[in-house]
Amino acid sequence: MSSKDDYVYTIPDIPWRNHFSNLLFSGDLISTGLELFLVGGLTTIAWFKYYMVNVAGSMPLLELATFMWIFSAQRRIYNSYLESVYFAFPAYRTQPVKEHALKSKKDLVGREPEQLETIIKHDRMTLVSQFFLDVSIYFLIPGYYPAAKETYGPMYYRILMLILNHYVMSFGMYWTHRALHVNPYGWRYIHSFHHWAKHPLSRTTYQDHWFDNFGNAIVGHLFAQILVPLDNQFFWLSRSLRICESLEKHSGVSCGFNIVHSAQRYFPFAQMPHHHDWHHEGHKGCNYTFTSIGGLWDCVFGTRKTGRHPALAETSSDRKMANTEQKTSKNSVLNHPWLCLSPVLMVGALAAVKLKYQLA
Ligand SMILES: [Zn+2]
Ligand SMILES: [Zn+2]
């Protein structure tokens, strides 16, 4: 039996209508209203002042607004798809049904009412801060959102660039994520908010402190697109894949229904969603499995985890393995509360130098 099979359950389900989440962002009308107002406003500006607001070398502003509409819809649709899979196929779940049962004063993923109130506020701040970040980047960095072209380079080259871009993105996000676990302030004031969900469902994907989402957009997407720019079509494809990947790893299931994870599982050291599930399960004790896409960096930097958190491990070999890995990682110089940020600062410096050269 593979280690993955140890965490698959066939316990009878709780009726689906006791679980199903709202299609609207966070189930929060204010957030949905804000989103309609901001993206609708941008669309109106782009539509009526079409020739005045476009940045040379970038996609037209109207395409950026379309980009926001389409990916907002994709997040909602794919979230519903993954949650349907979760409820329809209990055998593929990574944690037992009882962990997801609605407990008194806790939601399906294990959060308390005050935590949920805080999350709703941060959802709203995430929405506003991400919107202004995206629009600011459009005007400050010409060509960042690549314009469509008549012809593109050879397909093998474009695919290689996509893979490279994703590994660079994953590197920045890996070190930031690791730093947020290792640095006591980063953990307490920022990243612990995301970890209130102990048995995540896809709805919890972007439910972070707003600055966690903001930072990831910079150290992940921004740095990668500056260092390894994608063309228009692959830029769209990359964002779409990233949305699926993020939602899948919080889906609570690990199987062929996780389309993007299944497609990339032949890459070296690739992860499946259960790896990130375990990362949530152990709270701060789970100082391992930080990679966002792929899985390569966890293996390179010694934080790949192959079993459940020691407190929740079901077999003695899991427990032993988890304890050994945690001791090893605590002794590493890369777990210094501030030095652990140096790899991502180096990537940022490289991106700044390249940008300066590009804009000169
Ligand atoms: Zn984490
Ligand atoms: Zn997560």
Side-chain angles (χ1 to χ4, degrees):
M1 187 186 272
S2 75
S3 65
K4 190 186 147 196
D5 295 330
D6 293 341
Y7 309 109
V8 168
Y9 293 82
T10 51
I11 296 170
D13 195 11
I14 291 165
W16 65 271
R17 57 191 168 278
N18 290 0
H19 294 285
F20 216 67
S21 66
N22 196 314
L23 254 187
L24 299 176
F25 192 92
S26 256
D28 175 42
L29 280 175
I30 294 178
S31 290
T32 306
L34 265 174
E35 187 172 25
L36 291 174
F37 174 74
L38 292 172
V39 185
L42 186 75
T43 310
T44 310
I45 292 168
W47 188 273
F48 288 109
K49 304 207 169 188
Y50 194 64
Y51 295 103
M52 293 166 62
V53 289
N54 294 332
V55 170
S58 297
M59 60 176 70
L61 190 66
L62 193 60
E63 188 176 337
L64 177 63
T66 311
F67 186 88
M68 291 181 182
W69 285 120
I70 288 182
F71 290 135
S72 178
Q74 185 190 332
R75 277 191 288 271
R76 285 160 169 78
I77 293 165
Y78 206 65
N79 176 61
S80 297
Y81 158 74
L82 287 171
E83 295 214 358
S84 304
V85 169
Y86 177 85
F87 294 119
F89 298 96
Y92 292 134
R93 292 177 190 174
T94 52
Q95 294 190 35
V97 173
K98 62 182 163 57
E99 294 295 333
H100 278 275
L102 198 56
K103 299 176 185 96
S104 60
K105 306 232 168 157
K106 281 195 179 181
D107 76 344
L108 288 173
V109 297
R111 295 172 298 192
E112 290 162 14
E114 309 82 63
Q115 293 177 331
L116 277 171
E117 277 171 31
T118 307
I119 284 292
I120 289 171
K121 281 184 207 142
H122 280 277
D123 272 352
R124 293 172 189 163
M125 288 193 278
T126 290
L127 185 86
V128 175
S129 59
Q130 292 278 314
F131 175 83
F132 284 106
L133 178 70
D134 288 346
V135 174
S136 304
I137 290 172
Y138 179 78
F139 288 107
L140 291 174
I141 310 179
Y144 176 85
Y145 292 97
K149 291 194 280 193
E150 300 246 318
T151 53
Y152 292 92
M155 188 52 79
Y156 76 88
Y157 175 77
R158 300 170 74 198
I159 293 172
L160 273 178
M161 290 291 275
L162 179 71
I163 294 169
L164 190 59
N165 176 291
H166 281 187
Y167 276 128
V168 171
M169 186 193 299
S170 174
F171 183 88
M173 291 168 84
Y174 170 87
W175 281 107
T176 309
H177 188 185
R178 186 163 166 170
L180 286 168
H181 274 255
V182 168
N183 182 295
Y185 302 102
W187 172 259
R188 184 169 172 196
Y189 296 111
I190 301 175
H191 192 55
S192 57
F193 290 41
H194 181 61
H195 279 269
W196 288 338
K198 301 285 195 308
H199 5 273
L201 291 173
S202 57
R203 72 186 72 169
T204 56
T205 303
Y206 304 105
Q207 294 183 336
D208 300 308
H209 188 290
W210 73 270
F211 194 72
D212 212 339
N213 287 320
F214 192 80
N216 269 326
I218 291 173
V219 302
H221 293 172
L222 179 71
F223 289 176
Q225 178 64 9
I226 290 171
L227 289 169
V228 189
L230 299 175
D231 63 46
N232 178 276
Q233 293 173 349
F234 273 60
F235 186 79
W236 276 83
L237 175 67
S238 163
R239 286 301 167 97
S240 181
L241 293 175
R242 269 285 294 143
I243 288 170
C244 294
E245 183 268 341
S246 302
L247 291 167
E248 282 179 9
K249 71 176 183 240
H250 293 96
S251 63
V253 290
S254 196
C255 57
F257 286 112
N258 302 110
I259 299 166
V260 170
H261 275 83
S262 300
Q264 58 89 61
R265 67 184 305 177
Y266 302 102
F267 281 85
F269 313 114
Q271 286 180 346
M272 281 299 280
H274 57 273
H275 291 100
H276 192 70
D277 201 274
W278 287 329
H279 175 76
H280 274 264
E281 191 176 29
H283 204 50
K284 198 189 173 192
C286 286
N287 277 349
Y288 46 74
T289 316
F290 301 111
T291 308
S292 274
I293 33 181
L296 178 69
W297 303 121
D298 275 301
C299 289
V300 171
F301 298 113
T303 48
R304 178 64 166 258
K305 176 75 161 55
T306 47
R308 300 183 88 166
H309 179 261
L312 297 162
E314 302 219 329
T315 65
S316 58
S317 62
D318 279 348
R319 213 167 287 127
K320 202 170 150 198
M321 191 185 300
N323 283 326
T324 313
E325 288 180 17
Q326 287 197 341
K327 263 182 225 143
T328 317
S329 72
K330 270 180 194 154
N331 291 334
S332 167
V333 70
L334 294 168
N335 280 338
H336 184 280
W338 295 105
L339 284 181
C340 58
L341 273 171
S342 38
V344 77
L345 292 176
M346 281 191 278
V347 179
L350 274 177
V353 169
K354 183 156 186 256
L355 194 60
K356 190 164 181 262
Y357 172 76
Q358 243 171 255
L359 298 177

